[in-house]
Amino acid sequence: MVEPGDREVAGQRLGIPESLGVSTLEPGQRPPTTPPGRQVSIRVQLLDDVTEVFNISQRAPAKALFDLVCVHLNLAERDYFGLQYQNPRRMMVWLDLLKPTLKQIRRPKNTILRFVVKFFPPDHTQLLEELTRYLFALQIKHDLACGRLTCNDTSAALLVSHIVQSEIGDFDEVQSFQHLLHNKYMPNQDALMDKITEYHHKHVGQTPAESDYQLLEIARRLEMYGVRLHPAKDREGTKLSLAVSHIGLLVFQGHTKINAFNWSKVRKLSFKRKRFLIKLRPDLNSAYQDTLEFVMASRDCCKIFWKICVEYHAFFRLFEEPKPKAKAVLFTRGSSFRFRCDLSPPVVVNGQKAFPFGPGQSSNGHQPSPINAHSSPLSSPLFTDAGYVRTDDEDEVRRKKCPTDKAYFIAKELLTTERTFQKDLAVITVWFQAVLGKEDILPDSVRTLINTNYDPVYQLHQAFLKEVEQRLQQWEGRSNAHIKGDYQRVGDVMLKNIQGLKQLTSLLQRHGEVLVELERSCRASQRLQELCREFEQQKVCYLSLNMFLLRPLHRLLHYKLILERLCKHYPPTHQDFRDSRAALADISEMVLQLQGTMMKMENIQKLLELKKDLTGIQDLAIPGRVREQFSLEFIRLGCLSKLSGKGLQQRMFFLFSDSLVYTSRGMTADNQFKVHGQLPLYGMTIRESEDEWGVPHSFTLFGQRQSVVVAASCVSEMVKWMEDIRMAVVLVEQSNRPSTDLLSTSRSDRKSPEEGGVEAESEEELSASRSSLERQSAQRGNTTVHVCWHRNTSVSMVDFSVAVENQLSGNLLRKFKNSNGWQKLWVVFTNFSLFFYKSHQDDYPLASLPLLGYSLTVPAETENIQKDYVFKLHFKSHVYYFRSESQYTFQRSVPLATSVLSSVVWCCLVVLSSVVLLCSVVWCCLQ
């Protein structure tokens, strides 16, 4: 057991030596020197409560002391931290690193400085090193112990359980109980002992680093994460507290946040004596005055909080170093405080030279080498559109010319996916408009709605695509190479585009309205409905029309993922880190703002798509349709075998929020599925019945009117279905509302559900009638429902959401099983399928490959591929090989495809599916 006196110092757990670190210094370089003069000893308390003594010169700036502390800890990501001390007026203030230490600390012998976290990023995945996350975990531990990080009992117990797991390891009843008795991690710990030990027991096998990660993951979601309250009063004398975070200024009443002012809304911050002033940008829709006034305890309190706000704004939002204020000739007025960048000598991290990150750094001329860049040149080339195999000499020439930085490939992924997104926008703004323009049949209100809400977005992204293309050409040295400037970055371009998108947020919020109004117009006009169906048969419309309407909302998710990877790759010293981080903050805010609209519209879009695949059922998605204040939600669709008097028969099942519908494949012209029956979820029970019926992977559904025995294709499929059905039953019973009848047929028609059944088509018949790669993508038989039918698998609503978030576009080389040559194709990965084009300039795909049911592996040596970055897709006798252009593209392609193909991954998403369903049901009930 770890006793209080035996706790590890910072970094000791990570195997860092006790002597002055060298990992952050160049070979042979010594710790930073200080100016000559008499030395003075300064005591600094670290985050593990150990106090260290550092000797500095009397004339040395505080930065020299801060550097000594960071070198002692081997800390590379320094700028999240700071030194704090208590001034003579007993107020905690930050040590100004640009001023001499002894001009700020008058009595160093009686003062202990605290090394603590100063800036709390919104996402801990931005922290690159395990040591940094460990120090952040120690800060969370301190905040929890002193009552600063307030939360409910469940979250508090979970936080403590991860701390205990990190400190003593796996659960042992006696050891854990004794450890909690001797160590107090929170004020009311005794009342939560049982809950803490219960959670601790579930963390078996979790390493200390994993515990730190989970601790930060839970903490960052809490409202008081990183919040430091500063007492104040409003004009009426009400006691409040002010705080600052990465998003802006926060107002609390007690420990409840009652208001927030985003940085984009704040025009100026100032203070006059005890009054703290927030000047807002003019907003006609806001009920607040232009200037908000708060009264604090003293002028010093105002100035301290003002300085913290300036530093937070500079750290998270400032893109250019502030220029020094000119000195007045006779007298000065106002504060001379400026948050300047760090111009320290270069350091070495992971063998790569970089410069310390300084907030506001963008124009200081540094040229840092990227950290974690690829150490070897590319071993796979970029290919031309000719589709032939390059020689080794050509490969070598291409590798020498192509950048090897991972940031380049992230930027190139942005470019390739932006090209696809631009084509998708053109489907609505150009192609669809051209079809409707032939006949004046679309209502003016809907036409205006489409034009006003999509054309500005299309034009904005046209300009953005040109900028990204130009930046990549400059990055590769293929265009304007004679122009001086650092173009090996993309965060600044993304920030500019996202700030433009923020101005169009109101338009993006109405994209769901376009979807609903277009559906209403189609219901009112048979001819308009026919035109929309004819348009969907065109090759350019390779997805359903409604999917294109939601593309702008989904693109926000893509931007967020790209920026998260970019920020995770960049060290804080990189010149593009600040722009990328600011862009990530803005896009995260937009995604959060549009999350409700996106979830609602995705559900409506899926119901509209299912309506086209089903016959014998009432309308699933009438706009504005509400069943007694309980909206219909789609949960899962897929293939199961239903046990009847004729034996096991293949059926397609559709799970909605209040019923389970089963169908068989009909012989209609549109290959629709005919509905046979509906099982209300209200009062349903479920149990495994493999032993009872002797059918592998079978389970029985006990409804109020009938019982049904079904069998899945494998254990994972059975688990997914059972978990989703059980959760749906719980939710429908909590709503206390029985199911509404979905079937349009009479009760006598569904009395014998097996009548009119059709035989299941074999995969061989599917292959003969439609070669997956060679069939034209315009044929509408390639829907997810049909693929699930032939591949005997299932897909949930969560799977669809994950699929729209993770999309890829780019060049791949394809090789068939028995062929020798490689063919270069432009490939778009979306909607569980690969769509193949000759080049990115083509308007429509030549063929497609639905991936559901396929397996993904790396070729064996016996297959004699002899190429790098190759992965294999295979289903029964169908085998395809694909080559990526780089290690980064290979690493991006394989996990994405695996997330679609692997049933194990889908099993892990079952719990998430239930959570999303619960959130959507609650959201709908509040409308």
Side-chain angles (χ1 to χ4, degrees):
M1 182 177 70
V2 180
E3 296 296 334
D6 299 327
R7 294 179 186 172
E8 301 163 310
V9 298
Q12 181 179 338
R13 191 192 74 193
L14 306 175
I16 294 176
E18 295 182 1
S19 60
L20 288 176
V22 295
S23 68
T24 57
L25 300 175
E26 291 190 39
Q29 184 178 351
R30 299 190 61 80
T33 59
T34 58
R38 191 168 68 90
Q39 299 286 303
V40 62
S41 298
I42 303 293
R43 291 183 295 169
V44 178
Q45 184 179 0
L46 304 178
L47 280 165
D48 58 358
D49 294 331
V50 173
T51 301
E52 297 285 348
V53 178
F54 298 91
N55 295 320
I56 62 171
S57 170
Q58 284 184 324
R59 294 180 293 170
K63 185 182 179 302
L65 173 62
F66 181 75
D67 287 345
L68 284 175
V69 177
C70 293
V71 171
H72 172 77
L73 295 174
N74 266 350
L75 180 62
E77 299 175 275
R78 306 177 177 185
D79 296 276
Y80 293 106
F81 303 87
L83 292 172
Q84 201 175 38
Y85 67 99
Q86 191 177 57
N87 66 7
R89 299 184 180 181
R90 298 188 177 276
M91 293 184 292
M92 298 302 298
V93 295
W94 293 101
L95 194 68
D96 190 334
L97 301 185
L98 299 182
K99 295 180 179 179
T101 303
L102 295 188
K103 283 192 176 182
Q104 303 176 69
I105 305 174
R106 300 298 183 184
R107 305 175 64 185
K109 292 183 179 181
N110 300 328
T111 303
I112 298 180
L113 281 77
R114 297 170 57 226
F115 180 83
V116 292
V117 175
K118 187 173 185 179
F119 301 107
F120 290 80
D123 189 354
H124 62 92
T125 59
Q126 297 177 13
L127 307 177
L128 303 179
E129 294 196 343
E130 183 182 340
L131 173 59
T132 314
R133 291 191 291 271
Y134 173 52
L135 295 177
F136 265 76
L138 291 178
Q139 183 66 66
I140 298 301
K141 176 182 172 183
H142 275 278
D143 292 349
L144 187 65
C146 69
R148 181 183 289 161
L149 183 61
T150 58
C151 54
N152 58 45
D153 290 348
T154 301
S155 298
L158 194 54
L159 288 169
V160 173
S161 68
H162 284 295
I163 295 175
V164 176
Q165 175 71 21
S166 176
E167 291 190 351
I168 69 174
D170 291 344
F171 175 79
D172 178 87
E173 185 173 359
V174 176
Q175 183 185 20
S176 300
F177 184 77
Q178 291 294 327
H179 184 80
L180 289 172
L181 284 180
H182 290 88
N183 298 275
K184 296 299 181 182
Y185 297 106
M186 54 185 299
N188 60 332
Q189 179 173 306
D190 293 341
L192 299 177
M193 290 280 283
D194 293 339
K195 187 171 289 188
I196 294 172
T197 54
E198 177 187 350
Y199 287 136
H200 185 201
H201 190 271
K202 298 178 181 179
H203 303 331
V204 174
Q206 189 170 281
T207 65
E210 292 170 343
S211 297
D212 294 343
Y213 184 93
Q214 295 299 327
L215 180 73
L216 297 178
E217 180 66 23
I218 299 168
R220 75 179 182 91
R221 301 176 185 274
L222 301 177
E223 191 169 69
M224 298 300 293
Y225 167 70
V227 170
R228 302 295 183 255
L229 298 178
H230 297 257
K233 295 180 181 180
D234 61 10
R235 290 181 175 178
E236 288 72 30
T238 304
K239 291 185 178 180
L240 302 170
S241 294
L242 300 180
V244 63
S245 72
H246 66 280
I247 64 171
L249 276 79
L250 313 176
V251 182
F252 286 81
Q253 193 164 31
H255 286 89
T256 303
K257 184 171 68 175
I258 61 174
N259 214 331
F261 302 99
N262 194 285
W263 289 125
S264 60
K265 299 179 181 178
V266 177
R267 190 166 70 88
K268 183 179 180 181
L269 296 176
S270 60
F271 65 96
K272 295 181 180 179
R273 295 184 177 87
K274 298 196 301 183
R275 293 182 297 136
F276 186 81
L277 306 174
I278 305 174
K279 195 162 188 177
L280 303 176
R281 300 186 185 278
D283 187 357
L284 298 179
N285 299 322
S286 175
Y288 297 105
Q289 302 175 0
D290 289 343
T291 303
L292 302 177
E293 181 179 311
F294 298 90
V295 180
M296 307 189 82
S298 65
R299 180 187 181 276
D300 287 346
C301 292
C302 274
K303 185 173 182 180
I304 290 172
F305 182 62
W306 174 79
K307 288 183 67 175
I308 295 173
C309 292
V310 171
E311 291 175 331
Y312 251 87
H313 179 268
F315 190 86
F316 288 104
R317 297 281 296 185
L318 194 61
F319 317 126
E320 181 176 290
E321 181 181 357
K323 298 179 180 179
K325 187 176 181 180
K327 293 185 177 180
V329 177
L330 297 178
F331 57 88
T332 62
R333 181 179 180 182
S335 174
S336 61
F337 174 72
R338 296 292 184 272
F339 191 38
R340 300 179 177 89
C341 66
D342 185 356
L343 300 180
S344 302
V347 297
V348 174
V349 181
N350 295 336
Q352 298 289 336
K353 181 181 289 187
F355 287 83
F357 170 78
Q361 174 180 327
S362 67
S363 59
N364 45 32
H366 289 347
Q367 299 279 343
S369 300
I371 295 178
N372 296 329
H374 296 300
S375 58
S376 60
L378 296 176
S379 55
S380 284
L382 290 170
F383 296 86
T384 64
D385 291 333
Y388 66 92
V389 181
R390 287 181 177 270
T391 65
D392 292 340
D393 291 340
E394 290 175 310
D395 290 349
E396 185 65 25
V397 171
R398 182 60 184 173
R399 282 197 298 267
K400 289 181 178 179
K401 291 183 178 180
C402 184
T404 59
D405 183 14
K406 182 179 179 181
Y408 163 78
F409 292 105
I410 297 177
K412 187 162 187 180
E413 179 184 337
L414 171 67
L415 170 63
T416 55
T417 53
E418 189 69 17
R419 284 172 173 168
T420 298
F421 176 57
Q422 189 70 16
K423 294 285 186 181
D424 292 346
L425 281 177
V427 171
I428 298 296
T429 59
V430 178
W431 295 89
F432 185 54
Q433 296 279 42
V435 170
L436 295 181
K438 296 178 181 179
E439 298 184 31
D440 190 14
I441 196 171
L442 187 67
D444 292 339
S445 59
V446 181
R447 188 186 304 276
T448 302
L449 198 61
I450 295 177
N451 291 336
T452 56
N453 288 283
Y454 283 89
D455 286 351
V457 178
Y458 181 57
Q459 294 170 5
L460 176 70
H461 284 283
Q462 276 187 316
F464 176 55
L465 177 59
K466 291 180 181 179
E467 287 190 54
V468 176
E469 287 177 334
Q470 183 181 10
R471 178 58 58 87
L472 264 294
Q473 289 174 354
Q474 293 167 338
W475 200 327
E476 297 167 346
R478 294 187 289 115
S479 173
N480 297 328
H482 61 283
I483 300 178
K484 294 183 179 180
D486 184 12
Y487 298 107
Q488 295 188 357
R489 52 185 176 141
V490 76
D492 56 332
V493 180
M494 291 200 71
L495 179 62
K496 177 183 175 183
N497 178 63
I498 291 171
Q499 289 177 339
L501 273 177
K502 290 186 70 174
Q503 306 300 319
L504 304 179
T505 302
S506 59
L507 300 184
L508 294 172
Q509 288 175 328
R510 302 194 67 187
H511 283 191
E513 184 180 346
V514 175
L515 176 67
V516 173
E517 291 301 323
L518 180 60
E519 175 64 18
R520 283 177 177 166
S521 300
C522 288
R523 292 176 182 274
S525 171
Q526 182 67 28
R527 180 53 187 159
L528 178 59
Q529 189 173 2
E530 291 175 358
L531 280 178
C532 290
R533 288 182 178 178
E534 291 174 5
F535 178 72
E536 284 192 327
Q537 297 296 326
Q538 295 188 14
K539 295 179 180 180
V540 72
C541 195
Y542 65 98
L543 300 173
S544 65
L545 177 61
N546 293 332
M547 284 292 293
F548 291 104
L549 291 173
L550 297 182
R551 272 296 197 249
L553 292 175
H554 293 157
R555 187 57 175 160
L556 301 181
L557 301 175
H558 305 163
Y559 289 151
K560 184 173 183 290
L561 293 177
I562 288 174
L563 284 166
E564 285 175 347
R565 285 194 295 273
L566 203 60
C567 290
K568 187 175 182 179
H569 165 68
Y570 281 143
T573 56
H574 198 280
Q575 58 189 347
D576 203 25
F577 181 73
R578 292 191 57 77
D579 288 341
S580 301
R581 184 171 55 187
L584 176 59
D586 285 344
I587 199 66
S588 300
E589 180 184 350
M590 289 186 66
V591 169
L592 185 62
Q593 187 175 356
L594 296 167
Q595 190 81 35
T597 300
M598 201 177 307
M599 290 178 60
K600 181 180 179 181
M601 290 303 104
E602 284 179 351
N603 181 69
I604 292 178
Q605 184 275 328
K606 183 52 57 181
L607 294 178
L608 292 174
E609 184 176 325
L610 291 180
K611 183 190 72 172
K612 302 174 184 177
D613 289 319
L614 298 177
T615 181
I617 194 170
Q618 294 180 4
D619 291 325
L620 290 174
I622 298 176
R625 175 180 183 168
V626 177
R627 296 202 185 94
E628 299 178 1
Q629 298 182 354
F630 186 76
S631 298
L632 183 67
E633 301 285 333
F634 163 74
I635 302 175
R636 179 176 291 277
L637 65 85
C639 192
L640 293 171
S641 297
K642 181 175 176 294
L643 185 62
S644 66
K646 300 179 181 179
L648 289 174
Q649 292 192 331
Q650 187 179 4
R651 295 286 179 262
M652 275 297 294
F653 281 71
F654 300 84
L655 177 61
F656 301 101
S657 54
D658 59 359
S659 60
L660 180 66
V661 176
Y662 56 96
T663 69
S664 64
R665 191 162 185 259
M667 304 303 293
T668 64
D670 295 330
N671 289 325
Q672 291 177 302
F673 285 81
K674 180 181 179 181
V675 176
H676 282 298
Q678 172 185 357
L679 301 174
L681 298 182
Y682 193 85
M684 178 182 286
T685 58
I686 183 174
R687 75 160 185 249
E688 293 187 44
S689 52
E690 180 174 342
D691 296 335
E692 179 179 356
W693 296 99
V695 178
H697 321 309
S698 62
F699 54 97
T700 305
L701 304 171
F702 298 92
Q704 294 180 337
R705 295 181 299 195
Q706 65 179 118
S707 299
V708 176
V709 180
V710 294
S713 59
C714 60
V715 175
S716 61
E717 282 290 313
M718 180 185 70
V719 171
K720 288 184 289 188
W721 276 106
M722 293 181 67
E723 290 294 331
D724 279 359
I725 293 174
R726 281 172 176 158
M727 179 56 66
V729 169
V730 171
L731 293 176
V732 76
E733 289 180 349
Q734 288 177 351
S735 68
N736 199 28
R737 297 185 184 276
S739 303
T740 302
D741 200 352
L742 289 172
L743 305 189
S744 59
T745 55
S746 64
R747 194 169 294 272
S748 60
D749 290 335
R750 35 192 149 107
K751 179 172 61 177
S752 179
E754 300 306 327
E755 295 178 1
V758 297
E759 295 181 358
E761 294 183 23
S762 64
E763 180 63 30
E764 287 71 19
E765 291 173 340
L766 170 66
S767 303
S769 62
R770 59 173 90 172
S771 176
S772 296
L773 276 172
E774 268 53 54
R775 60 174 299 277
Q776 296 297 318
S777 63
Q779 299 177 7
R780 299 308 302 165
N782 192 25
T783 65
T784 306
V785 177
H786 289 85
V787 176
C788 287
W789 170 266
H790 291 289
R791 306 280 167 80
N792 200 15
T793 186
S794 68
V795 178
S796 72
M797 188 62 196
V798 175
D799 301 339
F800 285 106
S801 299
V802 172
V804 299
E805 290 182 17
N806 295 280
Q807 302 188 21
L808 275 179
S809 303
N811 290 312
L812 285 179
L813 279 86
R814 183 192 64 183
K815 176 182 178 297
F816 294 98
K817 180 179 181 181
N818 298 320
S819 65
N820 295 323
W822 293 86
Q823 180 186 11
K824 183 187 175 184
L825 296 168
W826 177 264
V827 182
V828 175
F829 172 60
T830 184
N831 202 40
F832 311 110
S833 298
L834 293 176
F835 295 90
F836 300 94
Y837 301 73
K838 184 177 180 181
S839 73
H840 71 84
Q841 297 172 336
D842 290 354
D843 292 325
Y844 55 86
L846 302 173
S848 66
L849 175 63
L851 294 183
L852 289 174
Y854 268 74
S855 298
L856 184 144
T857 58
V858 176
E861 293 183 0
T862 57
E863 295 176 84
N864 198 28
I865 297 298
Q866 297 181 350
K867 296 292 182 181
D868 294 326
Y869 314 135
V870 177
F871 58 93
K872 180 175 73 172
L873 291 171
H874 53 95
F875 177 80
K876 294 188 177 180
S877 61
H878 304 280
V879 178
Y880 307 101
Y881 299 96
F882 294 93
R883 284 174 59 193
S884 302
E885 65 182 27
S886 67
Q887 182 180 4
Y888 171 79
T889 310
F890 177 79
Q891 292 173 343
R892 285 282 296 133
S893 302
V894 173
L896 283 183
T898 304
S899 67
V900 174
L901 305 175
S902 173
S903 59
V904 176
V905 174
W906 292 134
C907 274
C908 297
L909 291 173
V910 168
V911 176
L912 181 59
S913 173
S914 303
V915 173
V916 171
L917 173 64
L918 175 61
C919 294
S920 59
V921 169
V922 171
W923 186 89
C924 291
C925 291
L926 293 176
Q927 299 306 303

